[in-house]
């Protein structure tokens, strides 16, 4: 079943991509995070690969997609949390031009998030949301929106404010506030420095046979600074160094009452974890992306 799912999503992405060229086509990122506290000296190896593709394009609207694969291997943290975790998901977004300086977006994401030992419908989860974007002038674009995610631990809401602001010819503020602001400074036409702060919450279902459908929840806030290089206007290579300001990994039994969360913070908490670990540590990342001319 696992092989058939991967082949199906890959076929959908390649077929759609063949219809039209995409500006940002593909990317690959690897990172290693230390997971340390007074009693643990563990680490996490992370791999992320994606492929963007167009589905349809008109004068006032367009539809695009992304297929993405992630892997996360946690080691040396103890029997509860040392796992190989994976996800494969499909993202679809619809953009509608309301007027010359305004766009409305709808987006969705669905896929499988688990240890991939015995895939089933229990490993499936989804997200959806909207965003409204307004271009004020050549230097400033702002927007707002809301995303909903059905996590294994419950319901997650992510209200956000987006910004694209050219502060000067070299300095640019972009991203989603408050969960992922990013500041970029261009040293030259092809070399840049960037700094960002990011918060995320995710969950992975464990094997029904080996772990009774338990799931792992990972909350994380980190800062990352990167040096990027653009080669021949198509190849982007970036090397980053950062720090996990706070990372919490929890193990839950299946069937508990679900929580309501905003970003990484629980508003209505009913579930009690079977095990929990809180860590910090440095992050080293390397990424490559490719875009068509």
């Amino acid at each position: 079943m696992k092989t058939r799912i991967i082949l199906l999503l890959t076929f959908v992405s390649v077929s759609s991509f063949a219809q039209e060229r995409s500006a940002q086509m593909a990317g690959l990122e690897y990172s290693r995070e230390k997971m340390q506290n007074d009693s643990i000296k563990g680490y996490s190896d992370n791999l992320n690969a994606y492929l963007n593709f167009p589905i349809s394009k008109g004068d006032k609207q367009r539809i695009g997609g992304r297929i993405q694969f992630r892997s996360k291997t946690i080691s040396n943290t103890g029997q509860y949390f040392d796992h190989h975790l994976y996800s494969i998901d499909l993202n679809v977004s619809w953009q509608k031009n309301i007027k010359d300086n305004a766009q409305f977006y709808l987006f969705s994401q669905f896929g499988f998030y688990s240890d991939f030992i015995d895939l089933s419908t229990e490993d499936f989860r989804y997200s959806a949301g909207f965003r409204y974007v307004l271009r004020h002038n050549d230097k400033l674009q702002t927007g707002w929106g809301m995303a909903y995610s059905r996590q294994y631990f419950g319901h997650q809401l992510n209200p956000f404010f987006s910004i694209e602001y050219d502060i000067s010819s070299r300095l640019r503020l972009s991203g989603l506030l408050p969960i992922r602001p990013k500041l970029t400074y261009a040293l030259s036409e092809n070399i840049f420095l960037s700094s960002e702060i990011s918060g995320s919450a995710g969950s992975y279902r464990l094997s029904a046979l080996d772990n009774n459908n338990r799931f792992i929840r990972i909350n994380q806030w980190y800062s990352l600074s990167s040096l990027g290089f653009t080669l021949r206007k198509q190849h982007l290579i970036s090397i980053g160094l950062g720090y996990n300001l706070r990372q919490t990994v929890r193990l839950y039994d299946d069937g508990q009452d679900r929580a309501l969360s905003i970003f990484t913070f629980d508003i209505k908490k009913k579930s009690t974890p079977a095990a929990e670990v809180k860590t910090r540590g440095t992050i080293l990342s390397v990424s490559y992306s490719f875009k068509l001319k």
Side-chain angles (χ1 to χ4, degrees):
M1 181 179 180
K2 174 170 66 176
T3 303
R4 285 182 299 197
I5 292 168
I6 293 173
L7 288 175
L8 173 62
L9 292 180
T10 303
F11 174 77
V12 170
S13 67
V14 173
S15 300
S16 300
F17 176 73
Q19 298 174 17
E20 182 184 350
R21 288 186 159 191
S22 173
Q24 190 74 31
M25 191 176 80
L28 182 67
E29 180 181 7
Y30 168 79
S31 66
R32 167 165 278 209
E33 306 172 7
K34 288 186 177 180
M35 301 177 64
Q36 298 181 342
N37 58 27
D38 294 338
S39 59
I40 290 176
K41 291 187 177 180
Y43 57 90
S44 171
D45 289 301
N46 310 283
L47 181 67
N48 178 26
Y50 66 87
L51 174 67
N52 289 327
F53 56 92
I55 298 175
S56 69
K57 181 180 179 180
D59 294 336
K60 293 186 177 182
Q61 65 180 13
R62 65 179 63 187
I63 303 174
R66 166 185 287 202
I67 185 172
Q68 189 163 241
F69 172 80
R70 294 187 182 96
S71 73
K72 186 178 189 68
T73 300
I74 301 176
S75 305
N76 294 344
T77 60
Q79 61 175 331
Y80 294 115
F81 305 108
D82 283 4
H83 290 281
H84 299 285
L85 306 172
Y86 305 94
S87 69
I88 182 167
D89 56 50
L90 184 64
N91 299 259
V92 178
S93 63
W94 173 70
Q95 174 192 332
K96 174 71 173 180
N97 295 329
I98 301 174
K99 47 188 176 181
D100 291 342
N101 66 333
Q103 293 86 37
F104 181 75
Y105 296 82
L106 290 175
F107 52 87
S108 63
Q109 175 180 309
F110 51 92
F112 294 84
Y113 305 77
S114 75
D115 54 15
F116 276 28
I117 292 176
D118 45 11
L119 273 179
S120 70
T121 56
E122 294 290 331
D123 303 324
F124 179 83
R125 62 177 175 85
Y126 58 89
S127 303
F130 70 91
R131 179 165 64 125
Y132 176 79
V133 176
L134 180 65
R135 178 172 292 279
H136 303 275
N137 51 52
D138 292 339
K139 293 185 177 181
L140 179 62
Q141 175 179 289
T142 61
W144 58 273
M146 171 74 75
Y148 165 80
S149 182
R150 182 64 171 93
Q151 299 278 358
Y152 301 131
F153 57 79
H155 306 280
Q156 181 187 22
L157 297 176
N158 295 317
F160 59 84
F161 175 78
S162 66
I163 187 168
E164 301 284 341
Y165 178 36
D166 292 329
I167 301 173
S168 69
S169 59
R170 292 180 177 266
L171 189 62
R172 179 179 179 86
L173 175 64
S174 62
L176 303 179
L177 306 177
I179 54 176
R180 184 167 288 181
K182 184 176 183 178
L183 195 63
T184 304
Y185 182 78
L187 297 174
S188 68
E189 183 179 357
N190 298 315
I191 303 174
F192 62 89
L193 289 170
S194 64
S195 294
E196 63 182 289
I197 296 176
S198 179
S200 63
S203 55
Y204 298 84
R205 180 76 68 179
L206 299 180
S207 166
L209 180 63
D210 298 335
N211 290 278
N212 296 318
N213 268 336
R214 284 179 158 185
F215 63 88
I216 285 180
R217 174 182 180 179
I218 302 173
N219 285 4
Q220 184 179 29
W221 283 91
Y222 68 85
S223 61
L224 183 71
S225 296
S226 303
L227 177 64
F229 308 88
T230 302
L231 305 176
R232 297 182 179 180
K233 298 183 179 181
Q234 288 183 282
H235 308 275
L236 173 60
I237 300 172
S238 180
I239 302 172
L241 182 64
Y243 191 77
N244 254 325
L245 305 170
R246 180 183 178 89
Q247 182 170 236
T248 304
V249 185
R250 299 184 177 102
L251 176 69
Y252 289 91
D253 293 323
D254 187 34
Q256 295 195 35
D257 291 336
R258 304 308 187 196
L260 174 63
S261 300
I262 294 182
F263 306 124
T264 63
F265 308 105
D266 288 342
I267 303 302
K268 185 179 181 183
K269 184 177 180 181
K270 293 185 177 182
S271 303
T272 301
E276 179 183 76
V277 62
K278 296 181 179 180
T279 63
R280 301 174 186 268
T282 56
I283 303 172
L284 177 63
S285 72
V286 180
S287 67
Y288 165 79
S289 60
F290 173 77
K291 65 178 180 180
L292 297 173
K293 289 184 179 180

